[in-house]
Amino acid sequence: MKLLVIDGNSIMNRAFYGIRLLTNKKGMPTNALTGFLNILLKLLKEECPDRIAVAFDLHAPTFRHKMFDEYKGTRHGMPDELRAQMPVIKQLLTALGITIVEKEGFEADDIIGTLSHAAELSGGECVISTGDRDSFQLITNKVTVRLAANKEDVIYTPAKIGEVYGVTPREMIEVKALMGDSSDNIPGVPGVGEKTALGLIQKYHSVEYIYNNLDTVEVTKSVRAKLENGRESAEMSRKLAEIVLDAPVPLDMSSYERGAGDPAEAAGILTEMEMFGVMKKLGLDKTAPAKVTIRTEANASGETSEAADAAEPAPTKDIPEFDPAAYEVALTDGEIRVYLDGKPQESNPAEFLKSGKPKRTVDAKALYAYCIEKGLELNNVVFDTTLAGYLLNVNSNDYSPERLCAEYGVVYSEDRLGESLFLLNKALWEKLHELGMYNVLTEIEIPLAEVLSSMEHEGIQMDMTALHQFGEELLPEIEQVEQDIYRVAGHEFNIGSPKQLGVVLFEELGLPAGKKTKTGYSTDADTLEGLRDKHEIIPMIFSYRTMTKLYNTYVKGLEAAVSSDGRMHTTFKQTETRTGRISSAEPNIQNIPVRTELGKNFRKFFTAGEGKLLADADYSQIELRVLAHLSGDEAMIKTFCEGGDIHTETAASVLGLPPEWITPEQRRSAKAVNFGIVYGIGAFSLAKDINVSVGEAKRYIDDYLSHYSGVKNYMARVTESAEKDGWAVTMFGRRRFIPEILSSNKTVKALGKRIAMNTPIQGTAADIIKIAMVRVFRRLKAELPEAKLILQVHDELIVEAPEDKAAQAAKILAEEMQSAVKLSVPLTADAKEGKSWYDAH
């Protein structure tokens, strides 16, 4: 018989600090839970125990506190985020059929000691899983300690203790009695450290022997004096350090057989906490989750936490009936599968897709792409599973039906896919209506899916000859700057290696080092920016990095991405970002470098096809215009409505100067503040951006918010709302849950506040560009079908049209972008035409 005993508090603590803070969308932390359960699964696999017990401390004094008032008095309180997870792990372990053992007046160590001793007495063996070395004293030939470590657990046996410490496991008590333990505030003998304590116990084996023979033990005069003065403390420390083996807990090993538990409740807890990866590992992903109430520290009887309450919106009344006459449509392995009321339907795919029958798709963009490829028409898509899942939880990274079924309490079955999809879509439908996001799905996201699939199909022509030539011209420039760096450094080294670069900069050249990581000095862009004027090598490194990235990522990357038709077909991602922005991959065209003159050259390689031109339009300062509208700030609205330059006006108002006196440098500083405010910039970051002191940057921000008081009030309003509700919302109703703002950690909460400030702005801007894309696409289709919307990069749209239709296409593009929505300030987007993206911009 093998008993596995887990030190619950220790493993939860280790998991909490070992994994970055994770939360579900209600802001309830899950990192310690995730780590604990992964450790549990590993233990079950590697140890194959017959019995399991998890021991926890209770928040109550023990016999040691009665013996010594200051016992554990130096310990910091448990972080709120960890404390919130303790009742949940107990609730979950019970549901998994695993026995929890707690006893008032005793610590988890005492429970562990008692159970390990009992297992050995019954003829079995015991494995203790802990992150705490206190359990070393319990090790015997039948009791092993698995000490949790960063990578692999370290297995401690009597031989391992002898090898590492030179004493027996039980003698570890004696060592602690002399050296004490700062984490538990066990005093030991003042002035005696680990080395001295180990030496004494290796030779004399016990505190009792040492004090009975203090006159003859071989120690220095100084150590003898410390021992004499610390006798009472040492004897008390020994009592505090010794783990009891007779705590009043059940000793019958059958009490620790793993029971059936309640799989439905376990699945319900994991679903509520959104721990779907762990759920699958536990084999609960096919179990129908029960409706559960998560326990909290404040009320273990089951009331939901404040964080959960805050993030759970009041349901909207009068949710429309879910349409049983709509069809579920899935595209699986290139085959269209159609279901009605969960039942498979026989149909001609071409006729069905073209028909006006309402369709609920699994992945609208993939289905539109399939139809374009096959020359089919797709009509009347009324709902989409993937996009609904994304809108309801932008913090996820998996919107597959299987994963969404787990999240929304539907049992997923491939054999009964239609039924699973029907129930899942119904749950998503209801939730979207509760949160007021149904229109975002049907009026923005689903129409956009058609647009994006069309853009992917069309692609954009690439001038491969010019691109290749540009790359060839870059190589000697890269080699020259490389040689310049070697000359200044005094030798060759791998410039791309942060470790080698750090040695050159901070050890050989003596530049002031910033933060140091485990692998060496940090050489990131922020660190080097602070050193730009400290040494001639720094601008060279920036130049080297820019050019090598241009060559490796963009020249070679774009060459590899061009299809046999000579066009680049990027993949637009609709469910990738937290703010609602569209992203792209293979290649990521959103990252095409355009800030430097060298980077802008890349636009020359994106060209119109033969006999065609590109029309390009870019929203001007859309996020600031959205900020003006959402905040209602009169000064900002006035500037935009009068066609003024917002950055010049900002500098003039903050500095108290006439606009005509503002210098380019002052305008740049104002621009940094304007855009920084959108992202909740602080004085420290602004100071770095505009190269002033933190005090000056703070004054600049204060003066800015004094002038734009509407913006100041807006920022206060949205952060207060997000703290109360747990989410931020865009102008169109798109919600983003912000678990960070519910954190008690000041740094994490500050991040949450910044997210709350910029989400409505960024999200609204994202919605506007999406609406514009749909309008441009539809109008071109109706009035100018020869022209195609082919590219979107941030706030910029590009249309390809026949040369004689390019002016008309540009006019449509500008009109639809400018009239996409009605704001209190004008949206401006001037369209230009040209043979290449560079010419049209």
Side-chain angles (χ1 to χ4, degrees):
M1 185 278 297
K2 181 190 282 188
L3 171 69
L4 169 65
V5 185
I6 299 174
D7 186 342
N9 289 78
S10 173
I11 297 300
M12 281 290 282
N13 193 70
R14 186 163 192 85
F16 178 78
Y17 287 106
I19 300 176
R20 67 179 178 83
L21 187 62
L22 303 172
T23 69
N24 69 0
K25 61 177 172 253
K26 295 179 180 178
M28 299 171 71
T30 61
N31 58 330
L33 297 169
T34 301
F36 185 100
L37 290 171
N38 281 328
I39 290 170
L40 172 64
L41 285 161
K42 184 178 180 183
L43 289 169
L44 293 176
K45 180 181 179 181
E46 294 181 1
E47 295 294 343
C48 302
D50 306 293
R51 312 280 191 272
I52 311 174
V54 183
F56 284 98
D57 294 324
L58 287 174
H59 191 59
T62 67
F63 69 90
R64 293 182 180 86
H65 292 89
K66 294 172 183 175
M67 187 188 306
F68 179 46
D69 286 343
E70 299 301 314
Y71 180 65
K72 293 193 175 179
T74 55
R75 284 204 174 178
H76 296 295
M78 185 183 291
D80 290 344
E81 287 83 1
L82 175 56
R83 188 183 304 281
Q85 296 176 74
M86 296 304 288
V88 185
I89 192 62
K90 295 176 186 179
Q91 183 182 5
L92 186 51
L93 288 170
T94 301
L96 292 171
I98 295 173
T99 304
I100 288 172
V101 194
E102 303 169 308
K103 193 66 184 177
E104 189 165 338
F106 294 85
E107 295 180 55
D109 284 347
D110 300 316
I111 295 167
I112 293 167
T114 301
L115 292 180
S116 64
H117 187 57
E120 185 172 7
L121 289 178
S122 68
E125 58 180 308
C126 180
V127 175
I128 299 168
S129 172
T130 181
D132 190 346
R133 287 175 168 77
D134 288 349
S135 292
F136 284 176
Q137 62 182 273
L138 302 173
I139 294 170
T140 69
N141 289 330
K142 293 291 186 179
V143 178
T144 303
V145 167
R146 287 184 61 133
L147 189 71
N150 290 335
K151 293 182 179 177
E152 290 296 322
D153 290 355
V154 181
I155 311 299
Y156 279 88
T157 61
K160 180 73 171 177
I161 292 292
E163 176 191 330
V164 175
Y165 298 102
V167 298
T168 67
R170 290 298 291 174
E171 287 173 351
M172 294 297 290
I173 307 171
E174 315 295 331
V175 174
K176 185 176 279 195
L178 293 175
M179 65 176 281
D181 184 346
S182 59
S183 67
D184 287 340
N185 202 29
I186 295 176
V189 174
V192 171
E194 182 179 29
K195 185 177 178 181
T196 301
L198 279 170
L200 286 167
I201 299 305
Q202 286 164 1
K203 190 168 187 178
Y204 300 110
H205 306 295
S206 73
V207 170
E208 183 181 15
Y209 181 89
I210 289 168
Y211 278 108
N212 287 343
N213 301 275
L214 193 55
D215 292 339
T216 58
V217 295
E218 297 177 4
V219 289
T220 65
K221 185 177 179 181
S222 170
V223 170
R224 191 184 311 279
K226 290 172 183 175
L227 289 169
E228 286 173 351
N229 295 330
R231 178 166 189 163
E232 186 178 337
S233 178
E235 290 173 346
M236 179 189 69
S237 295
R238 195 198 178 287
K239 293 177 184 176
L240 291 172
E242 185 171 16
I243 294 172
V244 304
L245 305 179
D246 57 356
V249 296
L251 301 180
D252 183 348
M253 290 296 105
S254 64
S255 303
Y256 305 105
E257 290 182 3
R258 186 171 177 183
D262 188 339
E265 183 181 6
I269 296 167
L270 291 167
T271 297
E272 180 69 18
M273 303 306 287
E274 298 171 21
M275 295 166 57
F276 303 109
V278 173
M279 191 172 174
K280 190 167 187 176
K281 291 177 186 176
L282 286 166
L284 294 170
D285 51 317
K286 300 293 190 292
T287 302
K291 185 71 176 175
V292 296
T293 302
I294 299 298
R295 291 181 190 163
T296 66
E297 185 75 19
N299 189 332
S301 64
E303 288 188 14
T304 54
S305 68
E306 286 183 15
D309 287 340
E312 190 63 47
T316 303
K317 295 179 182 178
D318 303 325
I319 294 175
E321 182 185 354
F322 184 67
D323 187 2
Y327 293 78
E328 264 66 43
V329 185
L331 175 62
T332 308
D333 297 327
E335 180 186 348
I336 301 291
R337 298 164 74 176
V338 180
Y339 306 89
L340 181 62
D341 197 21
K343 300 176 183 63
Q345 301 293 300
E346 294 293 333
S347 65
N348 179 308
E351 290 181 6
F352 170 76
L353 294 170
K354 186 178 180 179
S355 74
K357 292 176 180 177
K359 304 165 187 72
R360 291 188 286 257
T361 59
V362 171
D363 183 343
K365 186 161 82 74
L367 188 57
Y368 275 117
Y370 172 88
C371 291
I372 291 172
E373 190 69 30
K374 301 290 184 183
L376 304 176
E377 192 176 334
L378 176 59
N379 290 316
N380 204 20
V381 175
V382 298
F383 194 82
D384 184 79
T385 311
T386 300
L387 294 173
Y390 168 65
L391 286 173
L392 290 169
N393 185 7
V394 297
N395 294 315
S396 178
N397 57 7
D398 181 1
Y399 301 102
S400 64
E402 187 175 5
R403 156 68 171 74
L404 291 171
C405 279
E407 184 172 353
Y408 290 92
V410 175
V411 178
Y412 179 82
S413 169
E414 192 66 44
D415 295 333
R416 303 176 70 178
L417 182 61
E419 190 176 318
S420 299
L421 290 175
F422 180 85
L423 294 173
L424 173 60
N425 286 337
K426 186 173 188 294
L428 293 169
W429 163 284
E430 291 172 352
K431 201 68 179 173
L432 278 172
H433 278 91
E434 278 184 22
L435 297 177
M437 283 196 286
Y438 180 71
N439 287 346
V440 179
L441 174 70
T442 57
E443 296 178 14
I444 299 177
E445 294 296 347
I446 290 175
L448 180 70
E450 181 182 7
V451 178
L452 295 179
S453 62
S454 171
M455 290 166 62
E456 290 178 359
H457 176 77
E458 295 294 335
I460 186 167
Q461 184 81 27
M462 298 295 296
D463 186 340
M464 298 301 294
T465 303
L467 177 61
H468 181 74
Q469 184 181 341
F470 178 75
E472 291 300 303
E473 291 170 357
L474 267 180
L475 287 174
E477 293 186 42
I478 292 171
E479 188 176 343
Q480 181 59 57
V481 77
E482 198 173 51
Q483 293 304 317
D484 289 343
I485 291 171
Y486 295 156
R487 174 180 52 77
V488 173
H491 61 88
E492 292 189 6
F493 65 100
N494 183 355
I495 305 168
S497 164
K499 189 171 184 179
Q500 291 186 36
L501 180 61
V503 170
V504 169
L505 296 180
F506 305 118
E507 293 181 11
E508 296 176 10
L509 297 179
L511 292 173
K515 55 192 176 186
K516 193 173 183 181
T517 65
K518 291 179 182 177
T519 55
Y521 300 97
S522 172
T523 59
D524 61 17
D526 284 345
T527 301
L528 296 190
E529 190 59 53
L531 301 171
R532 189 181 280 275
D533 60 349
K534 297 286 193 286
H535 198 283
E536 62 176 317
I537 199 172
I538 302 299
M540 294 178 185
I541 292 167
F542 273 114
S543 180
Y544 175 82
R545 285 181 174 180
T546 299
M547 288 193 289
T548 53
K549 183 160 182 80
L550 284 173
Y551 183 79
N552 294 321
T553 303
Y554 298 110
V555 174
K556 306 308 289 183
L558 286 172
E559 284 181 344
V562 174
S563 300
S564 57
D565 62 0
R567 297 175 77 89
M568 185 272 292
H569 301 266
T570 187
T571 298
F572 290 101
K573 298 197 172 184
Q574 208 171 344
T575 59
E576 188 86 7
T577 69
R578 305 289 178 259
T579 59
R581 283 271 183 185
I582 301 164
S583 62
S584 69
E586 298 176 353
N588 180 0
I589 58 165
Q590 309 289 344
N591 278 355
I592 295 292
V594 292
R595 291 187 178 181
T596 64
E597 200 57 45
L598 191 61
K600 285 178 183 176
N601 282 312
F602 269 87
R603 287 182 170 150
K604 294 177 180 177
F605 313 131
F606 293 76
T607 66
E610 190 174 346
K612 297 181 180 180
L613 291 175
L614 300 181
D616 177 296
D618 191 352
Y619 276 126
S620 171
Q621 302 167 337
I622 188 170
E623 290 187 348
L624 291 179
R625 292 171 190 270
V626 168
L627 174 60
H629 176 79
L630 293 179
S631 68
D633 186 276
E634 294 180 3
M636 195 172 278
I637 290 172
K638 182 173 182 290
T639 298
F640 280 124
C641 287
E642 293 178 352
D645 177 60
I646 188 66
H647 304 315
T648 299
E649 291 290 336
T650 297
S653 62
V654 169
L655 299 173
L657 298 171
E660 58 271 20
W661 288 13
I662 297 302
T663 65
E665 185 61 37
Q666 289 168 333
R667 185 184 181 277
R668 276 193 293 273
S669 295
K671 184 176 181 179
V673 179
N674 274 324
F675 285 112
I677 288 294
V678 174
Y679 296 93
I681 198 168
F684 181 78
S685 297
L686 179 62
K688 288 177 67 178
D689 288 350
I690 63 176
N691 198 27
V692 297
S693 69
V694 174
E696 286 178 275
K698 185 178 185 307
R699 281 194 298 276
Y700 209 126
I701 291 173
D702 290 343
D703 289 344
Y704 175 96
L705 294 175
S706 175
H707 179 71
Y708 294 120
S709 57
V711 172
K712 181 179 182 180
N713 293 336
Y714 159 80
M715 291 165 66
R717 189 167 65 249
V718 293
T719 52
E720 182 182 342
S721 175
E723 283 186 272
K724 179 175 71 72
D725 299 328
W727 70 74
V729 62
T730 73
M731 176 178 157
F732 301 96
R734 183 188 301 271
R735 295 192 190 204
R736 177 181 178 181
F737 287 93
I738 309 173
E740 295 89 347
I741 205 165
L742 304 173
S743 174
S744 63
N745 180 294
K746 289 183 179 179
T747 304
V748 176
K749 192 177 186 72
L751 171 62
K753 287 185 174 182
R754 291 196 296 275
I755 293 171
M757 288 179 209
N758 70 50
T759 289
I761 302 165
Q762 285 185 284
T764 299
D767 287 336
I768 290 172
I769 193 76
K770 288 179 175 181
I771 292 168
M773 290 170 73
V774 172
R775 289 176 62 124
V776 169
F777 176 82
R778 288 178 173 174
R779 189 167 164 199
L780 289 175
K781 196 173 183 180
E783 298 179 19
L784 196 63
E786 310 98 304
K788 305 290 183 183
L789 179 62
I790 60 170
L791 209 58
Q792 177 268 339
V793 182
H794 303 301
D795 304 320
E796 190 172 356
L797 298 182
I798 299 170
V799 170
E800 184 179 45
E803 289 182 4
D804 61 340
K805 305 284 187 180
Q808 186 182 350
K811 182 172 181 289
I812 290 173
L813 180 60
E815 286 177 357
E816 294 305 321
M817 287 180 72
Q818 290 177 162
S819 63
V821 295
K822 182 70 175 172
L823 300 180
S824 55
V825 297
L827 283 174
T828 60
D830 294 329
K832 296 179 182 177
E833 305 146 43
K835 187 61 184 173
S836 71
W837 184 14
Y838 183 90
D839 297 331
H841 190 268

